[in-house]
Amino acid sequence: MNRSISKAVVIGSGIMGSGIAAQLANVGISCTLLDIVPAELTEAEKAKGLSLSDTAVRNRLASTAITGLVKRKPAPLYDPEFAARIRPGNLEDDLHLIEDADWVIEVVVENLAVKQELLAKIEQHWKPGVLVSTNTSGISIEAMSAGRSLEFRRHFMGTHFFNPPRYMKLLEIIPGENTDPAHVARLREVAERALGKTVVIAKDTPNFIANRIGTYGLLVTLREMLQQGYTVEEVDAVTGPAMGRPKSATFRTLDLVGLDTFLHVADNVRENVQDAAEIEVFTVPEPLQKMVKQGWLGEKSGQGFYRKLKEKGESKILSLNLQSFDYGPQVKPSSGSLQAAKAAKGSRAKLKALLSGGDRYSELAWNVLKHVLLYSAAKLGEIADSIRDIDEAMKWGFNWEMGPFETWDAIGLVPSVRKMEAEGLPIPKWVSEWIAAGGTSFYRREEGKLFHVMSGSFKAVEQPPQIISLRDLKEQKRVLRSNTGASLIDLGDGVACLEFHSPNNAIGEDILSMITQSQEEIRKRDYAGLVIANQGRNFCVGANLMLLLMEAEDEEWDEVDDIISLFQNTMYQLKQFEKPVIAAPHRMTLGGGVEACLPADQVIATAETYYGLVEVGVGLIPAGGGCKELTLRASQQAHLPDADLQPYINRLFETIGTAKVSNSGHDAKRLGYLRPSDRVVVNPDYTIHEAKQAVLRLAASDYEPTKASKLRVVGSEGKAILQLGAISMKESGYISDHDLLIAKKLAHVLAGGDVPAGSLVSEQYMLDLEREAFLSLCGEPKTRQRMKHMLTKGKPLRN
């Protein structure tokens, strides 16, 4: 019952099936991908003299899908080599492999009859203990398993992955009437721990949780638009970040999903509910149906609510006028409420500013929001038993900042319900009873614990021990030290966590000061060690670029030198700290963020860690110890005195010189940013716990601090080789004059300067080279232009 899942069979090699297989492979689950046997040979197969009986032909669909995983964008695999963990097969020759599997996932076409037929074939080879699930976005689990044995149905459930499976964190598990709760618990544990998913338990109802509410919200928005005459761009301006929703808002989302797909999802609800009002809401308005008939399906057909054109080499995006059905230039909406929402900090404040603006955009936001909130409340008990599951489904399935009930709390439960009542809207009975009993919110926090309403009273939200919330710890008065940029928090068991919380977690003097203070505090309290982690949107996007630019513009070179020296010295001291240090980066970890991790004894990154030294993008080089530390590692890799160090430095020069950023934690290892001893954790909610355990393991093993090392460098000869490569790129037109200047400075540092090849130099010597190169580049007008462009435009400037 409690055995782990190490082997899986995925049936169906389309976009979803192959994507699910890729995620299983990502986390080390051996996977077989099956599809039907082709009925005809391709021209390439004929040219090779193959026949329909050849294995290569019979497995063609699955094999092609596996090959395609390596090329697909965004990348479904953490590392292209993981494709080897997926074995191709076909339904006629390989269905018996189910006998040895731990989990079988059916991912074929969304057609009840097809799925029923396939499940019957699966049961012929199935053995008790093997979990079977269907990936469906809305077909009834009970209807699908009709005719199957009771024991099979006890092992059968829905698992609705969201696309793309690697990146979308939500997994809806839908038990059937006969599904054994123990099997649900087993699959949930694997999904959360191994696959890194946020799991919600949904009822077996049309479209389950996220698609049910999300589709309803999109249809309500479309009707409000048509009735009140809003434009496509007006609706998207209101229903995006201003309401705590993604930038894709309403109509960009529909274009991305595909209007035909959306129509299918909406029809699934309309055809399977009995309530007349609900049937009316899920009847897709005529303009959208007309678009589908005309083939205007969104991005996949080249046009939907938006259409991209190229004129004179430049891209231009037009929007659709639903009255005339013509495309025209976008007219950016502007109003007091939109401006107030944009200026407000945080999703709660943005939404309140938008709703209180008193203009037609405030009215649109309220008229959409009130219906979504009431619908979500009305469906509690029907689509899910917990408001928490509904909120989590919308946050992780539709990328909302707040779920419906969190949103209701944000705008004020009681006053918003009173306003709804005044407008004649029916309030779900349980909401009215909750307010009558004195309830003023659906959630409350108390001493670092979260509670939510369930069955008329507050119930604590239980979290597994692997999830550590820094917010909860701070509310429990566990902060040891704090300043404007960072806090030192007691994680328990003698381990402290240094949390960055400056704007964008950019590293400035406040964070550097807290790094030093953290070491002092740990010494004083005789703690076991330190974790460097935070739970912001990104770990750290670099140093405080604005401060550096201001000092460079004022030509305060001593100040710039002091800033870089402080950064270098702080990281060097952290590396030599006598207690274990574990860094736990997540998502965007760039420039100075990487340099804050390099001194750690071990890095425990999330799978979705995008890690890279990107300073050349703003006309600089890494100077917080990044060049020094990676050169030291290269020297240690080529550890024999007569080993050729140059290839290691060449790769390092290319990685830093082209500002390469990993597309996963595993990719960071491939690029050389992470060491073989560093680890990757799939579930980002578990990283701080894992980092804490790593500290305790090191502390219990007679930990010895890192000592200063000598580096063997390639010197002037190696520098010439590096610079020759950069000059060749300049002559070929790949890089600019300023790019060449930066490359030469970088080559000088990575080579160890103008010393003989094979020289041993100190770490401080390498830090001095870094700082000198950085200062000289700060003095370049084109570098300052790049810095300014990044700060104002958010992207690199090529000059």
Side-chain angles (χ1 to χ4, degrees), residues 487-520:
S487 295
L488 185 67
I489 303 166
D490 183 2
L491 296 179
D493 300 318
V495 180
C497 177
L498 177 66
E499 176 202 32
F500 300 168
H501 48 65
S502 64
N504 297 318
N505 288 345
I507 296 176
E509 188 175 349
D510 47 5
I511 287 180
L512 297 174
S513 173
M514 189 53 62
I515 291 174
T516 300
Q517 291 179 49
S518 297
Q519 294 170 73
E520 295 169 359

PDB file of all heavy atoms in Angstrom, residues 487-520:
ATOM      1  N   SER A 487      16.388  39.546   7.364  1.00  0.00           N
ATOM      2  CA  SER A 487      16.106  39.133   8.739  1.00  0.00           C
ATOM      3  C   SER A 487      16.756  37.789   9.000  1.00  0.00           C
ATOM      4  O   SER A 487      16.866  36.957   8.090  1.00  0.00           O
ATOM      5  CB  SER A 487      14.602  39.022   8.981  1.00  0.00           C
ATOM      6  OG  SER A 487      13.964  40.274   8.877  1.00  0.00           O
ATOM      7  N   LEU A 488      17.141  37.577  10.238  1.00  0.00           N
ATOM      8  CA  LEU A 488      17.657  36.282  10.685  1.00  0.00           C
ATOM      9  C   LEU A 488      16.563  35.642  11.528  1.00  0.00           C
ATOM     10  O   LEU A 488      16.137  36.207  12.539  1.00  0.00           O
ATOM     11  CB  LEU A 488      18.945  36.446  11.489  1.00  0.00           C
ATOM     12  CG  LEU A 488      19.634  35.137  11.899  1.00  0.00           C
ATOM     13  CD1 LEU A 488      20.169  34.408  10.668  1.00  0.00           C
ATOM     14  CD2 LEU A 488      20.754  35.396  12.902  1.00  0.00           C
ATOM     15  N   ILE A 489      16.113  34.457  11.102  1.00  0.00           N
ATOM     16  CA  ILE A 489      14.949  33.802  11.703  1.00  0.00           C
ATOM     17  C   ILE A 489      15.355  32.452  12.264  1.00  0.00           C
ATOM     18  O   ILE A 489      16.083  31.682  11.618  1.00  0.00           O
ATOM     19  CB  ILE A 489      13.837  33.630  10.647  1.00  0.00           C
ATOM     20  CG1 ILE A 489      13.469  34.989  10.039  1.00  0.00           C
ATOM     21  CG2 ILE A 489      12.612  32.963  11.243  1.00  0.00           C
ATOM     22  CD1 ILE A 489      12.639  34.882   8.778  1.00  0.00           C
ATOM     23  N   ASP A 490      14.877  32.142  13.442  1.00  0.00           N
ATOM     24  CA  ASP A 490      15.150  30.854  14.091  1.00  0.00           C
ATOM     25  C   ASP A 490      14.268  29.778  13.479  1.00  0.00           C
ATOM     26  O   ASP A 490      13.041  29.822  13.587  1.00  0.00           O
ATOM     27  CB  ASP A 490      14.870  30.991  15.591  1.00  0.00           C
ATOM     28  CG  ASP A 490      15.194  29.724  16.372  1.00  0.00           C
ATOM     29  OD1 ASP A 490      15.662  28.751  15.750  1.00  0.00           O
ATOM     30  OD2 ASP A 490      14.975  29.710  17.598  1.00  0.00           O
ATOM     31  N   LEU A 491      14.892  28.793  12.827  1.00  0.00           N
ATOM     32  CA  LEU A 491      14.155  27.676  12.235  1.00  0.00           C
ATOM     33  C   LEU A 491      13.921  26.545  13.222  1.00  0.00           C
ATOM     34  O   LEU A 491      13.229  25.572  12.905  1.00  0.00           O
ATOM     35  CB  LEU A 491      14.911  27.119  11.017  1.00  0.00           C
ATOM     36  CG  LEU A 491      15.103  28.042   9.814  1.00  0.00           C
ATOM     37  CD1 LEU A 491      15.896  27.317   8.725  1.00  0.00           C
ATOM     38  CD2 LEU A 491      13.776  28.522   9.271  1.00  0.00           C
ATOM     39  N   GLY A 492      14.520  26.655  14.413  1.00  0.00           N
ATOM     40  CA  GLY A 492      14.435  25.564  15.370  1.00  0.00           C
ATOM     41  C   GLY A 492      15.608  24.613  15.236  1.00  0.00           C
ATOM     42  O   GLY A 492      16.321  24.604  14.221  1.00  0.00           O
ATOM     43  N   ASP A 493      15.856  23.831  16.264  1.00  0.00           N
ATOM     44  CA  ASP A 493      16.935  22.825  16.281  1.00  0.00           C
ATOM     45  C   ASP A 493      18.310  23.453  16.075  1.00  0.00           C
ATOM     46  O   ASP A 493      19.227  22.806  15.551  1.00  0.00           O
ATOM     47  CB  ASP A 493      16.695  21.751  15.216  1.00  0.00           C
ATOM     48  CG  ASP A 493      15.387  21.010  15.426  1.00  0.00           C
ATOM     49  OD1 ASP A 493      15.082  20.677  16.585  1.00  0.00           O
ATOM     50  OD2 ASP A 493      14.662  20.786  14.439  1.00  0.00           O
ATOM     51  N   GLY A 494      18.464  24.727  16.463  1.00  0.00           N
ATOM     52  CA  GLY A 494      19.765  25.362  16.366  1.00  0.00           C
ATOM     53  C   GLY A 494      20.157  25.771  14.966  1.00  0.00           C
ATOM     54  O   GLY A 494      21.350  25.903  14.668  1.00  0.00           O
ATOM     55  N   VAL A 495      19.196  25.977  14.099  1.00  0.00           N
ATOM     56  CA  VAL A 495      19.475  26.430  12.733  1.00  0.00           C
ATOM     57  C   VAL A 495      18.744  27.750  12.504  1.00  0.00           C
ATOM     58  O   VAL A 495      17.577  27.896  12.866  1.00  0.00           O
ATOM     59  CB  VAL A 495      19.023  25.397  11.679  1.00  0.00           C
ATOM     60  CG1 VAL A 495      19.326  25.904  10.269  1.00  0.00           C
ATOM     61  CG2 VAL A 495      19.704  24.058  11.926  1.00  0.00           C
ATOM     62  N   ALA A 496      19.432  28.710  11.910  1.00  0.00           N
ATOM     63  CA  ALA A 496      18.837  30.010  11.595  1.00  0.00           C
ATOM     64  C   ALA A 496      18.767  30.186  10.088  1.00  0.00           C
ATOM     65  O   ALA A 496      19.544  29.583   9.337  1.00  0.00           O
ATOM     66  CB  ALA A 496      19.658  31.136  12.220  1.00  0.00           C
ATOM     67  N   CYS A 497      17.833  31.024   9.664  1.00  0.00           N
ATOM     68  CA  CYS A 497      17.648  31.302   8.236  1.00  0.00           C
ATOM     69  C   CYS A 497      17.815  32.783   7.977  1.00  0.00           C
ATOM     70  O   CYS A 497      17.159  33.614   8.628  1.00  0.00           O
ATOM     71  CB  CYS A 497      16.263  30.853   7.777  1.00  0.00           C
ATOM     72  SG  CYS A 497      15.905  31.247   6.042  1.00  0.00           S
ATOM     73  N   LEU A 498      18.686  33.114   7.057  1.00  0.00           N
ATOM     74  CA  LEU A 498      18.849  34.504   6.617  1.00  0.00           C
ATOM     75  C   LEU A 498      17.904  34.734   5.449  1.00  0.00           C
ATOM     76  O   LEU A 498      18.052  34.133   4.389  1.00  0.00           O
ATOM     77  CB  LEU A 498      20.295  34.763   6.191  1.00  0.00           C
ATOM     78  CG  LEU A 498      20.570  36.157   5.634  1.00  0.00           C
ATOM     79  CD1 LEU A 498      20.387  37.225   6.694  1.00  0.00           C
ATOM     80  CD2 LEU A 498      21.983  36.235   5.062  1.00  0.00           C
ATOM     81  N   GLU A 499      16.913  35.597   5.658  1.00  0.00           N
ATOM     82  CA  GLU A 499      15.894  35.882   4.651  1.00  0.00           C
ATOM     83  C   GLU A 499      16.129  37.268   4.054  1.00  0.00           C
ATOM     84  O   GLU A 499      16.212  38.259   4.781  1.00  0.00           O
ATOM     85  CB  GLU A 499      14.501  35.846   5.289  1.00  0.00           C
ATOM     86  CG  GLU A 499      13.380  36.232   4.340  1.00  0.00           C
ATOM     87  CD  GLU A 499      12.120  36.718   5.044  1.00  0.00           C
ATOM     88  OE1 GLU A 499      12.232  37.324   6.131  1.00  0.00           O
ATOM     89  OE2 GLU A 499      11.032  36.507   4.492  1.00  0.00           O
ATOM     90  N   PHE A 500      16.252  37.352   2.716  1.00  0.00           N
ATOM     91  CA  PHE A 500      16.299  38.643   2.043  1.00  0.00           C
ATOM     92  C   PHE A 500      14.865  39.163   1.901  1.00  0.00           C
ATOM     93  O   PHE A 500      13.956  38.401   1.557  1.00  0.00           O
ATOM     94  CB  PHE A 500      16.889  38.522   0.632  1.00  0.00           C
ATOM     95  CG  PHE A 500      18.289  37.991   0.561  1.00  0.00           C
ATOM     96  CD1 PHE A 500      18.835  37.595  -0.650  1.00  0.00           C
ATOM     97  CD2 PHE A 500      19.077  37.869   1.689  1.00  0.00           C
ATOM     98  CE1 PHE A 500      20.126  37.097  -0.738  1.00  0.00           C
ATOM     99  CE2 PHE A 500      20.371  37.375   1.619  1.00  0.00           C
ATOM    100  CZ  PHE A 500      20.895  36.981   0.395  1.00  0.00           C
ATOM    101  N   HIS A 501      14.649  40.462   2.117  1.00  0.00           N
ATOM    102  CA  HIS A 501      13.328  41.047   1.847  1.00  0.00           C
ATOM    103  C   HIS A 501      13.434  42.506   1.413  1.00  0.00           C
ATOM    104  O   HIS A 501      12.524  43.293   1.630  1.00  0.00           O
ATOM    105  CB  HIS A 501      12.397  40.918   3.061  1.00  0.00           C
ATOM    106  CG  HIS A 501      12.983  41.323   4.386  1.00  0.00           C
ATOM    107  ND1 HIS A 501      13.354  42.618   4.670  1.00  0.00           N
ATOM    108  CD2 HIS A 501      13.266  40.583   5.487  1.00  0.00           C
ATOM    109  CE1 HIS A 501      13.815  42.663   5.912  1.00  0.00           C
ATOM    110  NE2 HIS A 501      13.796  41.439   6.429  1.00  0.00           N
ATOM    111  N   SER A 502      14.543  42.854   0.763  1.00  0.00           N
ATOM    112  CA  SER A 502      14.663  44.180   0.155  1.00  0.00           C
ATOM    113  C   SER A 502      13.817  44.205  -1.126  1.00  0.00           C
ATOM    114  O   SER A 502      13.370  43.158  -1.584  1.00  0.00           O
ATOM    115  CB  SER A 502      16.126  44.466  -0.186  1.00  0.00           C
ATOM    116  OG  SER A 502      16.584  43.543  -1.162  1.00  0.00           O
ATOM    117  N   PRO A 503      13.581  45.374  -1.729  1.00  0.00           N
ATOM    118  CA  PRO A 503      12.845  45.404  -3.005  1.00  0.00           C
ATOM    119  C   PRO A 503      13.523  44.514  -4.045  1.00  0.00           C
ATOM    120  O   PRO A 503      14.716  44.649  -4.320  1.00  0.00           O
ATOM    121  CB  PRO A 503      12.903  46.886  -3.404  1.00  0.00           C
ATOM    122  CG  PRO A 503      13.015  47.617  -2.108  1.00  0.00           C
ATOM    123  CD  PRO A 503      13.863  46.733  -1.223  1.00  0.00           C
ATOM    124  N   ASN A 504      12.755  43.567  -4.604  1.00  0.00           N
ATOM    125  CA  ASN A 504      13.262  42.574  -5.559  1.00  0.00           C
ATOM    126  C   ASN A 504      14.377  41.711  -4.976  1.00  0.00           C
ATOM    127  O   ASN A 504      15.078  41.011  -5.710  1.00  0.00           O
ATOM    128  CB  ASN A 504      13.759  43.245  -6.842  1.00  0.00           C
ATOM    129  CG  ASN A 504      12.658  43.956  -7.586  1.00  0.00           C
ATOM    130  OD1 ASN A 504      11.549  43.441  -7.708  1.00  0.00           O
ATOM    131  ND2 ASN A 504      12.931  45.159  -8.068  1.00  0.00           N
ATOM    132  N   ASN A 505      14.534  41.756  -3.650  1.00  0.00           N
ATOM    133  CA  ASN A 505      15.615  41.025  -2.969  1.00  0.00           C
ATOM    134  C   ASN A 505      16.988  41.397  -3.516  1.00  0.00           C
ATOM    135  O   ASN A 505      17.920  40.578  -3.490  1.00  0.00           O
ATOM    136  CB  ASN A 505      15.389  39.512  -3.060  1.00  0.00           C
ATOM    137  CG  ASN A 505      14.243  39.051  -2.183  1.00  0.00           C
ATOM    138  OD1 ASN A 505      13.786  39.789  -1.312  1.00  0.00           O
ATOM    139  ND2 ASN A 505      13.759  37.854  -2.409  1.00  0.00           N
ATOM    140  N   ALA A 506      17.123  42.622  -4.037  1.00  0.00           N
ATOM    141  CA  ALA A 506      18.417  43.091  -4.550  1.00  0.00           C
ATOM    142  C   ALA A 506      19.390  43.259  -3.394  1.00  0.00           C
ATOM    143  O   ALA A 506      19.026  43.755  -2.318  1.00  0.00           O
ATOM    144  CB  ALA A 506      18.246  44.407  -5.297  1.00  0.00           C
ATOM    145  N   ILE A 507      20.631  42.846  -3.609  1.00  0.00           N
ATOM    146  CA  ILE A 507      21.627  42.874  -2.543  1.00  0.00           C
ATOM    147  C   ILE A 507      22.246  44.262  -2.432  1.00  0.00           C
ATOM    148  O   ILE A 507      22.810  44.787  -3.390  1.00  0.00           O
ATOM    149  CB  ILE A 507      22.719  41.822  -2.791  1.00  0.00           C
ATOM    150  CG1 ILE A 507      22.101  40.423  -2.750  1.00  0.00           C
ATOM    151  CG2 ILE A 507      23.838  41.934  -1.750  1.00  0.00           C
ATOM    152  CD1 ILE A 507      23.075  39.313  -3.068  1.00  0.00           C
ATOM    153  N   GLY A 508      22.110  44.845  -1.261  1.00  0.00           N
ATOM    154  CA  GLY A 508      22.708  46.136  -0.952  1.00  0.00           C
ATOM    155  C   GLY A 508      23.429  46.060   0.381  1.00  0.00           C
ATOM    156  O   GLY A 508      23.606  44.976   0.956  1.00  0.00           O
ATOM    157  N   GLU A 509      23.795  47.215   0.900  1.00  0.00           N
ATOM    158  CA  GLU A 509      24.565  47.251   2.139  1.00  0.00           C
ATOM    159  C   GLU A 509      23.800  46.641   3.299  1.00  0.00           C
ATOM    160  O   GLU A 509      24.386  46.015   4.186  1.00  0.00           O
ATOM    161  CB  GLU A 509      24.931  48.701   2.464  1.00  0.00           C
ATOM    162  CG  GLU A 509      25.893  48.835   3.637  1.00  0.00           C
ATOM    163  CD  GLU A 509      26.335  50.266   3.873  1.00  0.00           C
ATOM    164  OE1 GLU A 509      26.071  51.116   3.005  1.00  0.00           O
ATOM    165  OE2 GLU A 509      26.940  50.523   4.923  1.00  0.00           O
ATOM    166  N   ASP A 510      22.444  46.792   3.310  1.00  0.00           N
ATOM    167  CA  ASP A 510      21.662  46.245   4.420  1.00  0.00           C
ATOM    168  C   ASP A 510      21.736  44.722   4.461  1.00  0.00           C
ATOM    169  O   ASP A 510      21.913  44.129   5.530  1.00  0.00           O
ATOM    170  CB  ASP A 510      20.207  46.728   4.345  1.00  0.00           C
ATOM    171  CG  ASP A 510      19.587  46.603   2.960  1.00  0.00           C
ATOM    172  OD1 ASP A 510      20.240  46.046   2.053  1.00  0.00           O
ATOM    173  OD2 ASP A 510      18.444  47.067   2.774  1.00  0.00           O
ATOM    174  N   ILE A 511      21.640  44.071   3.306  1.00  0.00           N
ATOM    175  CA  ILE A 511      21.735  42.610   3.272  1.00  0.00           C
ATOM    176  C   ILE A 511      23.141  42.155   3.624  1.00  0.00           C
ATOM    177  O   ILE A 511      23.327  41.198   4.398  1.00  0.00           O
ATOM    178  CB  ILE A 511      21.306  42.070   1.893  1.00  0.00           C
ATOM    179  CG1 ILE A 511      19.794  42.189   1.721  1.00  0.00           C
ATOM    180  CG2 ILE A 511      21.746  40.615   1.702  1.00  0.00           C
ATOM    181  CD1 ILE A 511      19.260  41.696   0.392  1.00  0.00           C
ATOM    182  N   LEU A 512      24.150  42.833   3.086  1.00  0.00           N
ATOM    183  CA  LEU A 512      25.538  42.461   3.399  1.00  0.00           C
ATOM    184  C   LEU A 512      25.815  42.602   4.883  1.00  0.00           C
ATOM    185  O   LEU A 512      26.480  41.751   5.494  1.00  0.00           O
ATOM    186  CB  LEU A 512      26.503  43.319   2.578  1.00  0.00           C
ATOM    187  CG  LEU A 512      26.418  43.136   1.050  1.00  0.00           C
ATOM    188  CD1 LEU A 512      27.306  44.139   0.341  1.00  0.00           C
ATOM    189  CD2 LEU A 512      26.792  41.711   0.648  1.00  0.00           C
ATOM    190  N   SER A 513      25.287  43.668   5.486  1.00  0.00           N
ATOM    191  CA  SER A 513      25.459  43.859   6.923  1.00  0.00           C
ATOM    192  C   SER A 513      24.804  42.735   7.706  1.00  0.00           C
ATOM    193  O   SER A 513      25.371  42.220   8.689  1.00  0.00           O
ATOM    194  CB  SER A 513      24.865  45.208   7.343  1.00  0.00           C
ATOM    195  OG  SER A 513      24.864  45.349   8.744  1.00  0.00           O
ATOM    196  N   MET A 514      23.611  42.311   7.261  1.00  0.00           N
ATOM    197  CA  MET A 514      22.906  41.246   7.976  1.00  0.00           C
ATOM    198  C   MET A 514      23.605  39.898   7.819  1.00  0.00           C
ATOM    199  O   MET A 514      23.527  39.057   8.719  1.00  0.00           O
ATOM    200  CB  MET A 514      21.457  41.158   7.488  1.00  0.00           C
ATOM    201  CG  MET A 514      20.569  40.217   8.313  1.00  0.00           C
ATOM    202  SD  MET A 514      20.574  40.547  10.099  1.00  0.00           S
ATOM    203  CE  MET A 514      19.905  42.202  10.132  1.00  0.00           C
ATOM    204  N   ILE A 515      24.300  39.690   6.715  1.00  0.00           N
ATOM    205  CA  ILE A 515      25.087  38.456   6.567  1.00  0.00           C
ATOM    206  C   ILE A 515      26.159  38.389   7.646  1.00  0.00           C
ATOM    207  O   ILE A 515      26.370  37.351   8.289  1.00  0.00           O
ATOM    208  CB  ILE A 515      25.705  38.370   5.155  1.00  0.00           C
ATOM    209  CG1 ILE A 515      24.607  38.158   4.100  1.00  0.00           C
ATOM    210  CG2 ILE A 515      26.734  37.233   5.083  1.00  0.00           C
ATOM    211  CD1 ILE A 515      25.098  38.202   2.675  1.00  0.00           C
ATOM    212  N   THR A 516      26.828  39.515   7.862  1.00  0.00           N
ATOM    213  CA  THR A 516      27.861  39.569   8.908  1.00  0.00           C
ATOM    214  C   THR A 516      27.250  39.424  10.296  1.00  0.00           C
ATOM    215  O   THR A 516      27.746  38.664  11.142  1.00  0.00           O
ATOM    216  CB  THR A 516      28.637  40.895   8.815  1.00  0.00           C
ATOM    217  OG1 THR A 516      29.251  40.980   7.525  1.00  0.00           O
ATOM    218  CG2 THR A 516      29.700  40.987   9.892  1.00  0.00           C
ATOM    219  N   GLN A 517      26.149  40.126  10.537  1.00  0.00           N
ATOM    220  CA  GLN A 517      25.483  40.044  11.834  1.00  0.00           C
ATOM    221  C   GLN A 517      24.961  38.639  12.105  1.00  0.00           C
ATOM    222  O   GLN A 517      24.943  38.184  13.264  1.00  0.00           O
ATOM    223  CB  GLN A 517      24.325  41.047  11.894  1.00  0.00           C
ATOM    224  CG  GLN A 517      24.757  42.509  11.918  1.00  0.00           C
ATOM    225  CD  GLN A 517      23.550  43.437  11.954  1.00  0.00           C
ATOM    226  OE1 GLN A 517      22.633  43.258  12.758  1.00  0.00           O
ATOM    227  NE2 GLN A 517      23.544  44.433  11.081  1.00  0.00           N
ATOM    228  N   SER A 518      24.523  37.950  11.061  1.00  0.00           N
ATOM    229  CA  SER A 518      24.017  36.588  11.221  1.00  0.00           C
ATOM    230  C   SER A 518      25.096  35.660  11.747  1.00  0.00           C
ATOM    231  O   SER A 518      24.848  34.811  12.621  1.00  0.00           O
ATOM    232  CB  SER A 518      23.479  36.060   9.888  1.00  0.00           C
ATOM    233  OG  SER A 518      22.384  36.825   9.458  1.00  0.00           O
ATOM    234  N   GLN A 519      26.301  35.814  11.221  1.00  0.00           N
ATOM    235  CA  GLN A 519      27.403  34.981  11.706  1.00  0.00           C
ATOM    236  C   GLN A 519      27.692  35.282  13.174  1.00  0.00           C
ATOM    237  O   GLN A 519      27.933  34.357  13.973  1.00  0.00           O
ATOM    238  CB  GLN A 519      28.633  35.232  10.838  1.00  0.00           C
ATOM    239  CG  GLN A 519      28.451  34.770   9.395  1.00  0.00           C
ATOM    240  CD  GLN A 519      29.578  35.234   8.493  1.00  0.00           C
ATOM    241  OE1 GLN A 519      30.693  34.732   8.567  1.00  0.00           O
ATOM    242  NE2 GLN A 519      29.284  36.201   7.629  1.00  0.00           N
ATOM    243  N   GLU A 520      27.638  36.549  13.536  1.00  0.00           N
ATOM    244  CA  GLU A 520      27.867  36.921  14.935  1.00  0.00           C
ATOM    245  C   GLU A 520      26.804  36.312  15.838  1.00  0.00           C
ATOM    246  O   GLU A 520      27.108  35.793  16.929  1.00  0.00           O
ATOM    247  CB  GLU A 520      27.853  38.453  15.069  1.00  0.00           C
ATOM    248  CG  GLU A 520      28.984  39.158  14.341  1.00  0.00           C
ATOM    249  CD  GLU A 520      28.780  40.665  14.278  1.00  0.00           C
ATOM    250  OE1 GLU A 520      27.741  41.144  14.786  1.00  0.00           O
ATOM    251  OE2 GLU A 520      29.655  41.369  13.725  1.00  0.00           O
TER     252      GLU A 520
END
